[in-house]
Amino acid sequence: MSALRVLLVEDNLPDAYLLRSCLDEIHADICYEQVSLVSRACQTLARTGFDLILLDLGLPDATGVEAVERVSHLAAGAIIVVLTGREDQLTAAHALRAGGHDFLPKSSLTVVNLAAALDTAKMRRDNQRDAARDARLLASLLSNDPDGLLVIALRPRGQRPRELGLRCLLANAEARALLPELDTTTECDDLLGGALRRLFELSRDAAHTVQH
């Protein structure tokens, strides 16, 4: 497993030293980089991906919501933990709406809190990797299988929670050739219901032939 990548965006030397000391004390597989400006953070994010961003809200070239917005545009799935010297719930709410994932007052900064943020970032990274792997596998299956393949989901329909509609999420070229009227953007109960019935009948007939 590769190291967890952390970007520390902090210009205050004592605070930066405390954060680095906490990261070192966690003894996890971590590699981190520190910058002191939002502009430098954006340059770094443009060339390198990170799993966790520790972002101070009082930087020389950007403060508050502006800092969060600028960094979140380039975060590419990284967890953003906002750091501030004030325990201000309104500031926290604004930062979270701007793209932050968590809010940590510096007065409450501990190894335990930072370790929890690292665990969340690691879980998010692993989930993203699993989802990407599954997507590649499904794309390969859909493109290489000679048979028609459909990925069908039941979706709520209307205001009644028990009313479900059939929606085709994915279909390979062979399936589209068999069902040229297939539309993956809308519900198609009749079409998919008929296709499923035909598949059931074919499998039933095949099983009957094998038995006899």
Side-chain angles (χ1 to χ4, degrees):
M1 181 65 66
S2 59
L4 197 70
R5 298 159 300 176
V6 179
L7 178 62
L8 172 57
V9 191
E10 174 62 76
D11 68 314
N12 183 282
L13 294 180
D15 289 341
Y17 176 80
L18 176 61
L19 285 162
R20 291 197 304 269
S21 298
C22 289
L23 289 172
D24 292 337
E25 193 173 338
I26 291 171
H27 297 302
D29 190 8
I30 304 169
C31 64
Y32 59 84
E33 184 174 344
Q34 182 190 347
V35 296
S36 58
L37 298 172
V38 167
S39 56
R40 292 292 301 276
C42 292
Q43 292 172 2
T44 302
L45 289 167
R47 70 170 189 271
T48 308
F50 288 86
D51 303 303
L52 174 65
I53 301 171
L54 301 173
L55 176 63
D56 181 34
L57 285 187
L59 295 164
D61 62 339
T63 59
V65 170
E66 180 192 354
V68 181
E69 289 178 340
R70 287 174 60 183
V71 169
S72 65
H73 287 159
L74 295 169
I79 295 288
I80 300 176
V81 176
V82 174
L83 306 170
T84 180
R86 298 175 298 172
E87 296 195 24
D88 182 349
Q89 295 301 318
L90 182 59
T91 300
H94 289 164
L96 296 180
R97 281 199 295 269
H101 298 91
D102 202 357
F103 179 84
L104 187 59
K106 294 178 183 179
S107 59
S108 304
L109 181 63
T110 64
V111 172
V112 173
N113 290 340
L114 201 52
L118 290 169
D119 287 341
T120 301
K122 181 179 182 300
M123 185 181 302
R124 185 185 181 102
R125 180 192 66 179
D126 293 345
N127 288 341
Q128 288 174 338
R129 287 181 175 177
D130 290 345
R133 180 201 60 205
D134 293 344
R136 289 193 300 270
L137 178 62
L138 181 58
S140 176
L141 182 64
L142 287 172
S143 61
N144 296 323
D145 198 292
D147 299 321
L149 293 176
L150 296 174
V151 179
I152 298 171
L154 286 173
R155 295 288 180 85
R157 182 177 58 191
Q159 300 300 318
R160 298 178 182 177
R162 292 188 178 181
E163 285 192 9
L164 298 174
L166 287 172
R167 173 73 63 84
C168 178
L169 302 181
L170 291 169
N172 66 357
E174 287 73 16
R176 291 183 180 278
L178 292 171
L179 301 168
E181 65 272 39
L182 186 65
D183 186 352
T184 58
T185 62
T186 60
E187 291 177 5
C188 39
D189 294 10
D190 294 339
L191 175 62
L192 291 176
L196 291 174
R197 283 194 297 273
R198 292 202 297 274
L199 289 172
F200 173 76
E201 291 168 356
L202 288 171
S203 61
R204 182 188 58 190
D205 293 344
H208 180 78
T209 301
V210 171
Q211 291 175 358
H212 294 80

